[in-house]
């Protein structure tokens, strides 16, 4: 397929995508930031996108919402002439996988943890999710993994690994080892309290473990792309990890006193942290209470 025909196909598919009305995306602009080497970060609406460019073709991490696909492709085309050959989903949520169908129909290979396919696939997971409309076949990952896999692409060694029970049960961390860039998806909400999807198998212990694993691999010059928020580095991730541990320990201490979930929330264990991490502490505290590992 020629690049022109490929772009037209994707634009038409995006126009027909029902998940998010296209008019809601009219004012969204895609901002491109060079991260390091041949890696860029694209910001629009939804999860941050990672882009690896080179002679082999474009490699994306996540793809936001379907109506944004034409804008995302235009941003990619401003950096490289290569077609999008791979899309790796960091997890199953729609603000990270909404463009899968468009890009899958255009010939990109969708790759994700096996639980991402299960949660998107009506045949495998529809009854559990309680949804009447799941992702169409073209949006489903065609390659899945359980623990890890490695791409040798565009001169990069791209190591993808799974962290269990974290943001969801299907999270992937993508490490561009040559460029020294890590994309963490929603395992890292930079500058805000995280959303932990307990109903999708997430838990605070897994989010802490994900931060620990990335920090163990990181050096002083490592750049870290979060799922949401600005580009970061090990210091930013370390501050986030320390906040997670602090809140977890406070919640566990209150729970050890026999306090219920509502009572723990009422005790405001994040009170002095909210100025830094935002106003969604109740949702976070409830997730911590439900998933923190009791002694």
């Amino acid at each position: 397929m020629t690049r022109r025909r490929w772009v037209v196909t994707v634009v038409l598919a995006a126009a027909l995508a029902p998940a998010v009305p296209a008019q809601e995306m009219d004012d969204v602009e895609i901002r491109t930031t060079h991260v390091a080497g041949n890696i860029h970060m694209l910001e629009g609406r939804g999860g941050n996108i990672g882009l690896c460019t080179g002679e082999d073709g474009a490699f994306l991490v996540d793809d936001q919402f379907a109506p944004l696909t034409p804008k995302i492709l235009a941003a990619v085309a401003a950096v490289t002439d290569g077609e999008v050959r791979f899309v790796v989903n960091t997890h199953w949520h729609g603000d990270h996988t909404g463009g899968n169908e468009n890009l899958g129909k255009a010939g990109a290979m969708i790759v994700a943890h096996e639980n991402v396919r299960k949660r998107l696939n009506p045949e495998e997971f529809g009854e559990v999710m309680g949804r009447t409309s799941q992702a169409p076949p073209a949006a489903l990952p065609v390659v899945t993994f359980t623990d890890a896999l490695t791409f040798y692409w565009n001169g990069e060694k791209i190591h993808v690994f799974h962290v269990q029970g974290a943001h969801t049960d299907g999270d992937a961390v993508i490490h561009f080892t040559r460029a020294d860039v890590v994309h963490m998806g929603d395992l890292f909400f930079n500058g805000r309290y995280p959303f932990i999807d307990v109903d999708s198998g997430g838990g605070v212990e897994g989010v802490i473990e994900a931060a620990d694993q990335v920090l163990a691999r990181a050096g002083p010059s490592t750049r870290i792309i979060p799922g949401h928020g600005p580009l970061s580095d090990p210091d930013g991730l370390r501050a986030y990890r320390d906040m997670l541990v602090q809140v977890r320990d406070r919640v566990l201490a209150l729970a050890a006193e026999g306090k219920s979930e509502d009572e723990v929330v009422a005790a405001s264990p994040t009170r002095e942290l909210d100025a830094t991490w935002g106003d969604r502490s109740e949702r976070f505290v409830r997730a911590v209470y439900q998933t923190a590992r009791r002694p």
Side-chain angles (χ1 to χ4, degrees), residues 21-211:
Q23 60 269 25
E24 292 185 14
M25 302 294 180
D26 286 347
D27 296 331
V28 175
E29 296 183 0
I30 306 298
R31 185 174 68 177
T32 302
T33 301
H34 178 246
V35 180
N38 58 346
I39 310 301
H40 292 74
M41 181 175 79
L42 308 183
E43 298 171 86
R45 179 173 170 185
N48 293 329
I49 295 173
L51 167 64
C52 173
T53 62
E55 294 183 357
D56 296 329
F59 180 109
L60 289 183
V61 179
D62 290 338
D63 48 32
Q64 297 191 353
F65 295 105
L68 290 177
T69 301
K71 293 183 178 183
I72 291 167
L73 287 177
V76 171
V79 176
T80 177
D81 291 332
E83 296 183 1
V84 177
R85 300 288 300 280
F86 287 101
V87 177
V88 176
N89 294 145
T90 59
H91 61 290
W92 76 273
H93 290 156
D95 61 323
H96 297 257
T97 63
N100 277 13
E101 181 182 12
N102 299 334
L103 294 172
K105 287 181 176 179
M109 184 169 291
I110 311 297
V111 182
H113 186 267
E114 63 181 6
N115 286 339
V116 172
R117 182 178 171 92
K118 289 178 180 178
R119 291 192 177 276
L120 290 174
N121 189 354
E123 293 183 359
E124 296 190 36
F125 221 73
E127 292 182 4
V128 177
M129 294 304 297
R131 296 181 297 169
T132 59
S133 177
Q134 283 80 42
L140 298 176
V142 297
V143 175
T144 64
F145 66 96
T146 55
D147 298 317
L149 78 163
T150 301
F151 295 84
Y152 295 88
W153 195 255
N154 289 332
E156 271 285 352
K157 180 181 178 181
I158 307 170
H159 183 57
V160 182
F161 64 93
H162 172 57
V163 180
Q164 296 183 0
H167 175 60
T168 67
D169 61 3
D171 297 298
V173 176
I174 296 85
H175 185 194
F176 299 93
T177 57
R178 181 178 178 183
D180 197 15
V181 175
V182 180
H183 194 308
M184 292 187 65
D186 283 3
L187 295 167
F188 184 17
F189 283 68
N190 189 15
R192 67 187 80 173
Y193 292 119
F195 167 51
I196 298 174
D197 190 349
V198 178
D199 292 336
S200 292
V204 67
E205 303 290 356
V207 181
I208 294 170
E209 173 63 21

Side-chain angles (χ1 to χ4, degrees), residues 46 83 136 172 212 250 260 294:
E83 296 183 1
D212 286 339
R250 290 179 180 181
S260 68
R294 269 66 172 177

Side-chain angles (χ1 to χ4, degrees), residues 257-269:
E257 295 174 5
K259 294 187 182 298
S260 68
E261 182 177 321
D262 287 339
E263 289 171 332
V264 168
V265 170
S268 300

Side-chain angles (χ1 to χ4, degrees), residues 194-262:
F195 167 51
I196 298 174
D197 190 349
V198 178
D199 292 336
S200 292
V204 67
E205 303 290 356
V207 181
I208 294 170
E209 173 63 21
D212 286 339
Q213 288 197 34
V214 173
L215 288 169
R217 291 169 165 81
S221 61
T222 302
R223 304 290 276 169
I224 302 173
I225 301 174
H228 298 271
L231 184 65
S232 192
D233 55 25
D235 287 341
L237 179 59
R238 194 171 293 108
Y240 179 75
R241 187 262 183 202
D242 291 347
M243 176 274 293
L244 295 172
V245 172
Q246 189 173 18
V247 174
R248 180 202 60 187
D249 291 349
R250 290 179 180 181
V251 169
L252 284 176
L254 291 167
E257 295 174 5
K259 294 187 182 298
S260 68
E261 182 177 321
D262 287 339

